[in-house]
Amino acid sequence: MLADPPGTRAWVRRLLEDCDEAFFADTWRRVRIQLAADARHKTELMRRKSLAEAVADVSSSMTLEEDERGSRIVVDKLVQGRTAAEGRGVTFLPTAFGWPHLFALHAPRWQPVIQYPVPARDLGGGAPVEAVKLRLEAIAHPMRMRLCRSLARGAYTTSELADAYGITPPEVSRHLAVMKKAGLVTTQRRGRYVLHQLDVAVTARLGSDFLESVLR
């Protein structure tokens, strides 16, 4: 190391690259789209909704509290601790391998980091031929492909999608019904609103080219 620092650095780099190809590359190719989609979804929630919505989407054990002193994220865990980011915010780090654990990492004067699990689903194949056929037919329609671009970034109501694409709510509902029957869309109720969202894990199994095109 002392006699030849550049040579040592090159050797360590080659070792890490070899380890990546031998142990991690295939796994990373399988999970990176899911992680990127989740990160985009959180960003879209913060942009369209609020930080509180993004925090709640990370985990039900996290809440955003606001008072005269400002905003703070409270994590309901057995271990107690607190930190001040001093205006530098917080980093959310999705992981495909941490389920069901939520980690809140902090140190005085450093930006807090919250590592949270994304929904654990196998990205491998195995779907029946009929299910694959339904999914391919569902995304083949131009309007449904356009809807996928919105639904991949966040959860939307039928009215929001109708306003965004200049079509009627019944038309949106018909398209969503086709996509839901194919297993591409999930729905959840929040109060009196029903929110629809693309199931990124299922869509990823159709092919990374399609998923990356709707996430652009």
Side-chain angles (χ1 to χ4, degrees):
M1 294 177 62
L2 295 177
D4 185 16
T8 302
R9 287 195 296 269
W11 180 86
V12 172
R13 182 183 180 88
R14 285 196 304 272
L15 174 64
L16 295 176
E17 290 173 346
D18 290 343
C19 288
D20 171 63
E21 187 61 33
F23 306 120
F24 312 119
D26 182 62
T27 300
W28 175 244
R29 281 192 289 268
R30 287 191 296 110
V31 304
R32 68 181 179 87
I33 295 175
Q34 184 183 13
L35 297 180
D38 185 86
R40 288 173 185 265
H41 171 53
K42 297 296 187 294
T43 301
E44 191 70 11
L45 276 178
M46 291 181 63
R47 187 178 69 84
R48 290 178 52 85
K49 307 291 185 179
S50 65
L51 176 59
E53 288 275 350
V55 168
D57 196 68
V58 168
S59 172
S60 59
S61 65
M62 292 176 52
T63 56
L64 183 71
E65 294 185 355
E66 299 186 74
D67 54 29
E68 65 278 359
R69 294 175 295 176
S71 303
R72 64 180 177 273
I73 295 173
V74 178
V75 184
D76 182 13
K77 291 181 71 71
L78 293 177
V79 179
Q80 295 185 358
R82 65 175 57 242
T83 184
E86 298 184 358
R88 288 190 289 268
V90 60
T91 297
F92 291 103
L93 183 65
T95 175
F97 304 103
W99 190 89
H101 304 292
L102 177 75
F103 295 97
L105 311 176
H106 63 87
R109 297 182 301 278
W110 289 84
Q111 185 181 81
V113 176
I114 296 175
Q115 185 184 71
Y116 63 94
V118 296
R121 294 194 178 183
D122 182 12
L123 293 182
V129 173
E130 185 60 29
V132 175
K133 179 174 178 291
L134 281 175
R135 292 167 186 172
L136 292 175
E137 289 174 347
I139 63 174
H141 193 284
M143 178 52 69
R144 289 196 284 270
M145 184 174 290
R146 293 174 64 191
L147 290 173
C148 282
R149 301 199 73 173
S150 292
L151 296 171
R153 290 171 167 79
Y156 294 85
T157 65
T158 300
S159 297
E160 287 176 327
L161 292 170
D163 292 341
Y165 291 99
I167 59 178
T168 65
E171 287 180 278
V172 174
S173 296
R174 286 194 291 271
H175 287 306
L176 290 175
V178 173
M179 297 167 71
K180 188 174 181 180
K181 182 179 179 181
L184 296 174
V185 169
T186 62
T187 60
Q188 58 178 323
R189 180 174 291 278
R190 288 189 183 173
R192 61 192 183 91
Y193 297 102
V194 176
L195 300 175
H196 310 276
Q197 189 167 9
L198 190 71
D199 191 322
V200 174
V202 172
T203 308
R205 293 200 288 269
L206 291 176
S208 59
D209 286 346
F210 171 74
L211 187 59
E212 289 175 357
S213 71
V214 300
L215 289 174
R216 289 195 188 115

